[in-house]
Amino acid sequence: MIKLKRMGQYVFLIITSLLSIFPLVWMAISATNKSADVVKGVMMPGTYLLKNLESLMNQQNVWKAMGNSFKYAIILTIVSLIICSLAGYGFEIYHDKGKDVVMNIILLAMMVPFAATMIPLFQMFSSANLLNTTMGFILPTISTPFLIMMFRQSARSFPHDIMEAARIDGLGELAIFFKMFMPTMRSTYAAAMTITFMNAWNSYLWPKVIMTDAESITMPMLVANLKAGYTTDYGVLMLAVLLCSIPTMIVFFVLQKSFAEGITGAVK
Amino acid sequence: MSKPKKMNLNQKQNLSGWFFLAPATAFIAMMSFFPMFKALILSFKTGIGTNMTWTGISNYVRMFQDAVFMQSLKNTFFYLIIQVPIMLILALILATMLNDRHLRCKGLFRTMIFLPCATSLVSYAIIFRSLFAVDGFVNTILIKLGFLNTGYNFLGHPMSARIIIIVALIWRWTGYNMVFYLSGLQNIEYSVYEAAKIDGASPFKIFTKITVPLLKPTILLTAIMSTNGTLQLFDESWNLTFGGPANASITMSHYIYNMSFKYVPNFGYAAAMSYLILILVAVLAFIQMKVGDKRD
């Protein structure tokens, strides 16, 4: 009886896992096949990868879009991690009535849908000449309630006596943050980095609104532009999707372990 | 009788606290609250570009007579009511299974189920569009197996187009929510489960009497995040179904985008519609918190 139940558990997990990765496997295989074979349902890696790559390069400026995406996502991730961790730390370590009120107001911002701020932001940014700039890309999401909350939760486990000892040793408040908090909270930073980088890399609506110039487009925009053809070349399309997915997959695999630890610290 | 010039230690620390949180707070005020306030003003105006005039509540009245907007409202709620519960329950079941100490290959299962989250929204929308195209993989297989004679136009029929969006959403987000539950479960003492098992509690009883109540804060968090996300769906509608056929699967954000940037820009009307989303998000979050807070 127990064995049967265990079997059922494995079968369920195996089926779910396979369904989870199947579309991705199909995508990767299709990137190596020509469109006609993809349509036929061929499920074996083909020899068309380089041909697809060549044809993609001829249609779109992949390097430019790739470079833009990396530039926007990396800058946003670094700046946003510093600003939000400073705030989360500040809210928790120095908390008093006033700061708790401010924190609650910030949490309200979580409920503000992007559709509601998109138009005024577009107006503000176009009059400030921020269209097609990195600044324009990063400013709206540089500080998010989610990240602040995450760092605030994890700062709760930062031992107070270490801080007192550091103060007695003459370390300034900012030095304590950079020299003691940051290194001990590595897994929270890893989780925050994974989430922020992925969100930045994958964001679509905002870049679509402000990147009006073909030179400034991002990878997801490039992928979306491809579909606007007459007949779909599935091989080329899936190759573009693959190229767009590789960076986030790498980040995920590298940081996976600390990601799980960081989330655990944050939902406590 | 403290010295007026020198701050005491507490005051100094208090001040550095404000200094730490000032940049983040300023950005949120400027990038969320200020635009939100501007959108409110905009929603009472009408016109093109900078040439706007006051119009009272006419934008709000127009919304409820706009067939496309009402359709987008219906679609969004359809996605919300069907997709969010299925996804959260599935994520909870998977997390419970993966929390089992005696399970093998735990890490492998977790990685595979989470992997869809590493793909961008545009990418997975396009993968699903290709899979379910008339000449796509799913149709090819169904024809080969003899279930169909010619390809079924999944994205060309209103109901199947909506269902494909739901399937795609469940595929993309279940693993994400599962990670939150897994982390939550890690904070529950394993001995609680062992004790329940020894007392002869069935797995279903353990699930409903121990797991769910102890995970309540996490479940509440994921429910609010998912509701919020679903009310703001854009990429899937835009890239998977193009909102079609004939606006049958269009979401509110997609329609707002069309109103602002695709058609002749009508920022006033678009802002009014976006305020409805804001109100819906706030009301639903409030209800969820009330329900979540109930002690039983």
Side-chain angles (χ1 to χ4, degrees):
Chain A
M1 184 59 198
I2 288 175
K3 270 219 170 117
L4 208 69
K5 235 176 58 201
R6 172 101 18 226
M7 278 273 283
Q9 194 179 357
Y10 276 110
V11 169
F12 184 76
L13 284 172
I14 288 170
I15 292 176
T16 315
S17 306
L18 290 181
L19 284 176
S20 280
I21 58 163
F22 172 74
L24 299 172
V25 173
W26 179 80
M27 175 262 286
I29 288 177
S30 299
T32 68
N33 280 310
K34 66 173 178 226
S35 197
D37 285 340
V38 177
V39 171
K40 263 191 245 153
V42 171
M43 272 308 284
M44 291 295 279
T47 53
Y48 235 69
L49 182 64
L50 290 177
K51 274 254 172 63
N52 285 336
L53 189 63
E54 200 188 316
S55 141
L56 176 63
M57 296 283 188
N58 288 337
Q59 290 173 48
Q60 302 276 341
N61 196 345
V62 179
W63 292 125
K64 188 81 204 169
M66 207 48 142
N68 285 338
S69 274
F70 268 113
K71 186 174 75 183
Y72 302 151
I74 290 174
I75 295 178
L76 175 59
T77 307
I78 295 172
V79 180
S80 152
L81 247 58
I82 295 174
I83 290 181
C84 294
S85 62
L86 268 173
Y89 177 86
F91 276 119
E92 178 60 32
I93 302 290
Y94 306 101
H95 82 103
D96 55 24
K97 248 202 177 126
K99 293 189 190 82
D100 288 350
V101 170
V102 175
M103 184 67 209
N104 284 333
I105 295 171
I106 283 183
L107 285 179
L108 279 182
M110 251 183 175
M111 292 188 204
V112 178
F114 187 65
T117 54
M118 174 175 79
I119 298 160
L121 281 175
F122 171 74
Q123 290 177 325
M124 279 157 64
F125 281 34
S126 61
S127 57
N129 277 327
L130 286 172
L131 300 189
N132 297 308
T133 63
T134 308
M135 208 50 151
F137 181 94
I138 68 169
L139 278 180
T141 42
I142 214 169
S143 169
T144 66
F146 183 79
L147 277 191
I148 298 175
M149 197 174 76
M150 204 168 148
F151 281 109
R152 178 169 167 250
Q153 292 296 83
S154 66
R156 211 158 276 182
S157 65
F158 189 60
H160 264 264
D161 34 343
I162 287 190
M163 283 189 74
E164 292 305 328
R167 278 181 189 140
I168 291 165
D169 285 349
L171 229 54
E173 299 298 312
L174 209 56
I176 295 177
F177 175 80
F178 282 110
K179 288 194 182 142
M180 313 202 58
F181 180 76
M182 273 189 157
T184 41
M185 292 299 155
R186 219 173 282 153
S187 62
T188 309
Y189 277 97
M193 195 174 130
T194 317
I195 292 173
T196 312
F197 182 84
M198 282 188 185
N199 283 344
W201 182 276
N202 293 338
S203 70
Y204 178 61
L205 181 52
W206 179 239
K208 193 173 163 55
V209 168
I210 62 154
M211 300 303 176
T212 50
D213 183 8
E215 284 291 291
S216 318
I217 68 163
T218 62
M219 269 314 272
M221 288 170 81
L222 180 141
V223 172
N225 287 345
L226 270 180
K227 73 178 182 199
Y230 6 92
T231 52
T232 316
D233 186 327
Y234 286 115
V236 173
L237 187 62
M238 286 306 128
L239 178 64
V241 170
L242 180 65
L243 290 176
C244 181
S245 309
I246 287 174
T248 46
M249 299 251 175
I250 292 176
V251 168
F252 168 66
F253 275 113
V254 172
L255 296 177
Q256 190 188 15
K257 200 152 180 244
S258 15
F259 174 75
E261 281 168 19
I263 294 274
T264 309
V267 296
K268 245 176 209 164
Chain B
M1 292 290 148
S2 60
K3 290 174 212 157
K5 259 190 183 170
K6 208 172 175 191
M7 277 192 292
N8 70 32
L9 203 65
N10 255 337
Q11 281 171 319
K12 198 180 131 208
Q13 282 176 15
N14 185 25
L15 202 67
S16 35
W18 287 110
F19 164 80
F20 276 62
L21 56 85
T25 310
F27 275 117
I28 286 186
M30 257 155 39
M31 296 295 151
S32 285
F33 290 123
F34 177 62
M36 205 177 98
F37 177 68
K38 275 187 83 175
L40 182 64
I41 294 172
L42 214 52
S43 74
F44 294 111
K45 286 181 167 185
T46 188
I48 299 164
T50 48
N51 192 13
M52 309 273 288
T53 49
W54 291 99
T55 173
I57 58 162
S58 78
N59 282 328
Y60 290 91
V61 175
R62 178 179 165 190
M63 218 150 54
F64 294 98
Q65 296 156 352
D66 182 341
V68 181
F69 181 71
M70 290 320 277
Q71 181 67 49
S72 74
L73 189 66
K74 261 188 258 168
N75 290 340
T76 308
F77 268 90
F78 181 76
Y79 300 143
L80 182 71
I81 291 165
I82 312 257
Q83 184 255 336
V84 175
I86 294 180
M87 174 184 71
L88 293 186
I89 291 171
L90 189 61
L92 204 50
I93 291 173
L94 287 167
T96 319
M97 282 189 174
L98 289 179
N99 194 45
D100 189 334
R101 277 211 183 145
H102 308 288
L103 190 81
R104 282 176 203 192
C105 309
K106 220 181 295 181
L108 185 66
F109 285 133
R110 199 188 48 213
T111 305
M112 293 211 284
I113 295 170
F114 187 75
L115 204 54
C117 294
T119 49
S120 82
L121 301 181
V122 174
S123 298
Y124 95 88
I126 284 177
I127 294 175
F128 272 78
R129 198 165 62 85
S130 309
L131 281 172
F132 287 98
V134 179
D135 57 354
F137 184 80
V138 173
N139 271 317
T140 311
I141 294 302
L142 288 177
I143 292 169
K144 270 190 187 162
L145 293 175
F147 288 120
L148 289 176
N149 291 322
T150 51
Y152 182 74
N153 193 355
F154 286 106
L155 304 176
H157 294 85
M159 195 37 92
S160 58
R162 285 182 211 128
I163 290 173
I164 303 282
I165 287 199
I166 289 178
V167 169
L169 284 170
I170 291 175
W171 178 81
R172 172 65 166 70
W173 292 103
T174 301
Y176 183 78
N177 291 293
M178 182 192 76
V179 169
F180 280 88
Y181 294 147
L182 266 176
S183 308
L185 285 173
Q186 237 120 78
N187 298 329
I188 301 175
E189 286 289 331
Y190 204 77
S191 55
V192 177
Y193 287 105
E194 306 270 277
K197 260 186 213 161
I198 291 167
D199 287 349
S202 68
F204 183 73
K205 262 253 165 79
I206 293 179
F207 184 74
T208 52
K209 297 279 176 206
I210 299 177
T211 311
V212 174
L214 286 176
L215 272 186
K216 220 176 196 177
T218 318
I219 294 175
L220 185 64
L221 176 75
T222 52
I224 292 177
M225 287 196 308
S226 315
T227 305
N228 200 343
T230 311
L231 287 177
Q232 299 189 49
L233 281 182
F234 171 79
D235 303 35
E236 292 80 359
S237 168
W238 181 269
N239 286 308
L240 212 166
T241 60
F242 308 137
N247 294 325
S249 67
I250 196 169
T251 62
M252 289 193 281
S253 288
H254 185 167
Y255 189 53
I256 292 172
Y257 180 89
N258 284 351
M259 259 314 150
S260 323
F261 299 107
K262 197 175 167 197
Y263 310 146
V264 177
N266 191 337
F267 286 159
Y269 184 41
M273 292 191 286
S274 74
Y275 250 76
L276 188 70
I277 299 190
L278 180 74
I279 293 165
L280 288 174
V281 170
V283 168
L284 288 175
F286 182 74
I287 293 173
Q288 283 166 333
M289 279 183 207
K290 275 273 166 250
V291 173
D293 255 0
K294 234 182 236 152
R295 314 248 171 240
D296 32 26

